[in-house]
Amino acid sequence: MKIYLDLFILQEVIITSLILFLCGKLFNKKVNIVRILIIAFVNSIVLVLLLVYLPKFYDNMFFKLLSAFIVLKIGLNINLEDDLFLKILSFFILTFVFGGIGFLVEGNFINMIILFFIFGIVILKLKSKYKKILRLEAATCFIEFIDDGKLY
């Protein structure tokens, strides 16, 4: 099986950057695009090295949680007292939603990026309109908003 590492790393950087950007906007954090791109690139290189040299370590759940924490800490400057568990859970929910979008378009990268942007714009518009996210539901991947006592 051939894997073109340059394309794999490029796709991983783009997808990770989009997820981090959307997380930053949802968490009301200041988003630094250069910082996000750097951490996404480093994360992609580490992912490739682990997949090649230590594939069993990569499947470890502790590593996945540690990697999410490091990416959020460095990429978005998340503090330990910033409701860290909810932020890591939100990061994983967005990752699963984006993975579902990737499965939906059968891995076609261009269609995936287009749908990512549409999904991101919809979420950010809903957040700006309703000001507060009430709940992120992990099991069904839906988001509820509250506005003037009405639940959406």
Side-chain angles (χ1 to χ4, degrees):
M1 178 170 81
K2 287 184 182 180
I3 297 176
Y4 295 97
L5 290 179
D6 54 347
L7 293 176
F8 180 78
I9 290 172
L10 178 66
Q11 289 178 357
E12 187 67 29
V13 166
I14 291 171
I15 291 170
T16 304
S17 298
L18 288 172
I19 292 171
L20 279 173
F21 179 80
L22 192 56
C23 281
K25 291 298 184 181
L26 288 175
F27 303 155
N28 295 322
K29 287 287 189 180
K30 183 180 176 188
V31 176
N32 184 339
I33 299 296
V34 174
R35 187 178 199 165
I36 285 177
L37 287 172
I38 290 171
I39 191 63
F41 180 74
V42 170
N43 187 44
S44 300
I45 297 296
V46 169
L47 173 69
V48 167
L49 291 174
L50 283 175
L51 286 173
V52 170
Y53 295 110
L54 297 169
K56 292 187 185 214
F57 183 71
Y58 179 73
D59 289 336
N60 187 344
M61 189 59 182
F62 175 74
F63 170 74
K64 292 183 188 294
L65 289 173
L66 180 65
S67 136
F69 170 74
I70 291 171
V71 166
L72 287 172
K73 175 67 178 149
I74 296 172
L76 297 176
N77 199 18
I78 301 292
N79 296 328
L80 291 175
E81 55 272 349
D82 279 351
D83 204 6
L84 185 65
F85 178 74
L86 179 65
K87 289 185 173 33
I88 289 176
L89 183 64
S90 300
F91 176 79
F92 278 118
I93 290 171
L94 286 174
T95 303
F96 290 140
V97 168
F98 281 1
I101 290 172
F103 182 75
L104 177 71
V105 297
E106 298 175 355
N108 184 329
F109 187 67
I110 300 298
N111 291 343
M112 203 178 344
I113 293 300
I114 291 168
L115 287 177
F116 286 176
F117 276 112
I118 292 170
F119 174 75
I121 290 168
V122 167
I123 293 298
L124 293 177
K125 289 290 183 185
L126 285 173
K127 184 173 185 312
S128 69
K129 182 177 179 183
Y130 298 117
K131 304 290 187 235
K132 180 179 172 158
I133 294 179
L134 178 63
R135 181 175 68 187
L136 286 170
E137 185 70 38
T140 57
C141 293
F142 73 88
I143 301 173
E144 290 182 350
F145 294 89
I146 192 164
D147 182 38
D148 295 332
K150 294 179 185 176
L151 189 60
Y152 295 95

